[in-house]
Amino acid sequence: MIKGGTFVGRYILLIVLFLSLNQIPAMAKERFDYEKTGKITWEVKTNEKMVAITFDDGPNPVYTPEILDVLSKHKAKATFFVVGKHANTYPEIIRREVLEGHEIANHTFNHLNILRDSQKLENEITQTSDALKEITGFSPTLFRPVGGSYNDVIINTAAENGYHVVLWSWHQDTKDWKNPGVNTITKRVISGIKPGNIILFHDSGGNRTQTIRALDRILTKLEKEGYEFVTVSEMLFRTHTTQNN
């Protein structure tokens, strides 16, 4: 029984491993195919020492202003993927972001992860666009889907509404929403940093004190290494990345 059980266990393990390994090319090919359309960006190829820092889910009345203070201290520019209903509630923060040279982008109106309903997704995008135009005088051109989800519906709906989809470098998800600790957040960014990376933070959705402290450390370290902190649109423009909307 033991020998038979061991054999069966090993056989099952081999099957699971085989299936897992065969998923890797499929995932890579999926991303590659989407990138070829020019409608979505995870990161850019460049030799210039620049990165794009991004924040999701704000604005938040407590944490976003503190993040803006840290960015100002380091003369860093960032891209804020804002939730429309939060923008309506705190329009003065959105105006401050624009006045200080940051980029405002679309992250749906109600922070809904919509995968199949193109009309519902379009409504979410349009509501946020209208809100931001009312606040700032112009509509954004970048869209980040909730949860980083992407498929034909999401990408094509965004493109048809004049948006380029922006996610983030896979190794630059700080997972700060889990509050893993300032040192952990800092290490995740610093250890794998490369020119052209897009880094994911959050400025709302919970206590972002760790994010603020880690951000200051990260900017201080990367400044010493000669990095420049630019908006996503500036990085795309400087690397001649085509935005096919």
Side-chain angles (χ1 to χ4, degrees), residues 49-225:
K49 296 190 78 172
M50 61 178 172
V51 294
I53 298 171
T54 68
F55 297 91
D56 283 8
D57 301 351
N60 178 280
V62 175
Y63 304 112
T64 307
E66 292 186 36
I67 286 170
L68 289 169
D69 290 343
V70 174
L71 293 171
S72 178
K73 171 185 172 182
H74 294 276
K75 297 180 174 58
K77 304 305 177 189
T79 301
F80 290 86
F81 288 87
V82 306
V83 174
K85 64 180 181 180
H86 295 162
N88 274 343
T89 305
Y90 307 107
E92 70 282 357
I93 299 178
I94 298 294
R95 294 189 189 100
R96 178 183 171 185
E97 290 171 347
V98 173
L99 287 172
E100 295 184 6
H102 304 293
E103 181 170 22
I104 309 300
N106 195 317
H107 194 46
T108 76
F109 193 83
N110 292 294
H111 199 250
L112 298 178
N113 190 1
I114 302 168
L115 301 176
R116 302 298 175 193
D117 192 333
S118 59
Q119 186 58 60
K120 188 173 183 179
L121 179 59
E122 181 175 348
N123 290 342
E124 286 282 319
I125 292 173
T126 301
Q127 273 188 282
T128 302
S129 178
D130 291 345
L132 293 175
K133 187 172 183 179
E134 179 69 23
I135 295 167
T136 67
F138 57 87
S139 299
T141 59
L142 303 181
F143 172 70
R144 174 172 286 167
V146 174
S149 301
Y150 62 95
N151 59 24
D152 286 344
V153 170
I154 292 170
I155 295 171
N156 291 335
T157 300
E160 288 164 7
N161 284 273
Y163 283 86
H164 182 75
V165 177
V166 176
L167 296 185
W168 55 84
S169 304
W170 278 342
H171 63 289
Q172 289 293 359
D173 180 355
T174 63
K175 301 186 187 298
D176 59 341
W177 57 274
K178 292 184 176 181
N179 286 319
V182 176
N183 290 338
T184 298
I185 296 171
T186 303
K187 185 178 179 180
R188 278 179 181 156
V189 175
I190 298 298
S191 62
I193 199 70
K194 294 178 182 178
N197 280 175
I198 297 175
I199 306 167
L200 172 64
F201 291 98
H202 297 80
D203 62 329
S204 192
N207 189 320
R208 298 279 75 89
T209 302
Q210 291 184 6
T211 300
I212 295 163
R213 291 172 58 198
L215 178 65
D216 192 29
R217 292 186 187 182
I218 291 165
L219 294 179
T220 298
K221 174 67 174 175
L222 295 185
E223 276 181 317
K224 293 178 181 178
E225 296 182 9

